[in-house]
Amino acid sequence: MYKIGVCLTFLFSTHFTAANENNGMAACLSLYQIAASAIDYKAKGKSKQEMLAPLPDKQKIENDDQTVPSAIIALNMYDIIDEIYDYDTLPIAVYAPYASEKCLRRVDGKPIKPYRKAHPQLQQCAKLTHSKAMLECAFAVVNQV
């Protein structure tokens, strides 16, 4: 569990530093790698509780300024962990672009389709054979509201 905490803390601080230099867009784009890492951790048998443990309190984050990159990243990390652990895991080529684009929609104040509705569509994206087609499909799903 210590290794997970160190890795998530490193990922969080690394992505926060990069995002802090830019804006919400940079924070959202950093989620691609975070989502990929979370999928990898799940595949290696790490529990949802182990993944959530190093994150700041969710209620506090929700009360923070949602234009601050650290809050954007942390809140979306909660979503990512919930979606990866509560549903059948999607390939990185489908889920990671979905998570990044969903974050951008949130930052822009656009509506977001509930994941329970998006997941079956994303599963169809996962059946495509080319990664570019998977990516485009994931973007289309997240942008259909």
Side-chain angles (χ1 to χ4, degrees):
M1 178 146 152
Y2 174 75
K3 288 181 182 179
I4 293 173
V6 169
C7 290
L8 279 178
T9 302
F10 173 74
L11 276 173
F12 184 74
S13 64
T14 301
H15 292 295
F16 167 71
T17 301
N20 202 24
E21 294 170 359
N22 295 310
N23 54 25
M25 180 182 281
C28 291
L29 294 176
S30 73
L31 292 173
Y32 189 98
Q33 184 58 47
I34 291 171
S37 295
I39 289 169
D40 185 52
Y41 286 137
K42 180 182 177 185
K44 290 179 179 175
K46 305 304 178 192
S47 73
K48 182 177 179 180
Q49 291 70 30
E50 289 174 308
M51 296 293 289
L52 291 171
L55 294 178
D57 181 63
K58 186 175 182 180
Q59 228 174 11
K60 181 191 176 308
I61 298 166
E62 290 173 334
N63 294 329
D64 285 346
D65 179 3
Q66 294 302 304
T67 62
V68 175
S70 61
I72 293 168
I73 292 170
L75 187 58
N76 282 281
M77 285 178 71
Y78 272 99
D79 285 355
I80 288 168
I81 292 167
D82 285 345
E83 292 164 357
I84 288 172
Y85 279 85
D86 295 348
Y87 292 85
D88 291 336
T89 306
L90 296 166
I92 291 169
V94 173
Y95 183 75
Y98 167 83
S100 294
E101 186 71 11
K102 181 176 130 182
C103 175
L104 289 170
R105 290 187 64 82
R106 178 180 279 151
V107 167
D108 290 340
K110 294 179 180 176
I112 299 169
K113 179 188 305 191
Y115 192 69
R116 64 179 160 62
K117 292 183 179 180
H119 188 261
Q121 294 173 300
L122 293 169
Q123 286 177 311
Q124 294 303 310
C125 296
K127 294 178 181 177
L128 299 171
T129 56
H130 298 322
S131 60
K132 182 179 178 189
M134 289 177 173
L135 175 93
E136 291 170 354
C137 183
F139 284 152
V141 168
V142 75
N143 286 301
Q144 296 169 347
V145 181

